[in-house]
Amino acid sequence: MEGDEMDASLRLLMGPPQRLVPSCPEAWREIEQWVGRPLPEDYKEFVDEYGDCRIMEFLAIPHPEGRNRLIDSMVDDREFLDVMADQYRDRSGNLPFDPSGAVGWASHDYDGDGCYLLPRESGKWAVMVAFRQRRMVLIEEDGFTAFMVRLLGKERVPQGWPVVEPLWRSIEESPVI
C-alpha cells in the first residue's frame, strides 16, 4: 500500500469520519516540533478524523486535543521506551530500533504493548509494536495505513491481540466528539 494519505480501504473499514473539524494546526506544529520532523500524512489524517478512539476496545489512539492530549502521550511513551529499551535487544545484543526517534501513537490497555512510528532514512515511516510481556518487537515497514488495514481487516495483526467488537469506537468522554 503506497502513498502518504489514508486510502479507501481503511476508510471502508472505519466508516465515515467522526471528527468533522480537524485538529488546529498549532497542535500538530507543537507535536512535530517535539518529534523533530513531519509525521506521516496518513497518520495525521486518521487521527484528525477518528482520533480519541479505541480499536477493538483495547488500543487507545489519542487525538491532539483529546481527553489525553497526543503530545502528552507521546512524551510518556518515549520515556517508557527509553527506560525499557534494553528488554527489546536481540540475542546478539542489538536493538532493532532507535528509541530516541520512536514516536508513540497508541497504547494497548490490556497488556501494555506500545505502538510507535519509526522514521526511516527514505522519508517513510514504519510501524513498530513493542510487546511488553513478550519482550519483542514487530516492525511493519509498509506504514501506518497498511498496518491499520491489516489490523482491522482479515489479517488481524499483530497475532495475539484479542479481536473484540466493535472494531473501533470513539471515547465517549472525549472533548473532540
Side-chain angles (χ1 to χ4, degrees), residues 50-94:
Y50 302 100
D52 231 15
C53 71
R54 293 193 175 280
I55 302 294
M56 290 187 264
E57 293 297 324
F58 60 80
L59 191 63
I61 301 177
H63 185 278
E65 299 165 47
R67 187 182 74 184
N68 297 316
R69 288 180 353 122
L70 179 57
I71 185 78
D72 297 335
S73 293
M74 287 178 168
V75 169
D76 290 346
D77 291 344
R78 172 83 54 82
E79 289 172 359
F80 173 80
L81 198 57
D82 284 341
V83 170
M84 301 302 289
D86 281 343
Q87 80 175 1
Y88 297 109
R89 292 190 183 278
D90 64 20
R91 290 174 191 200
S92 60
N94 296 321

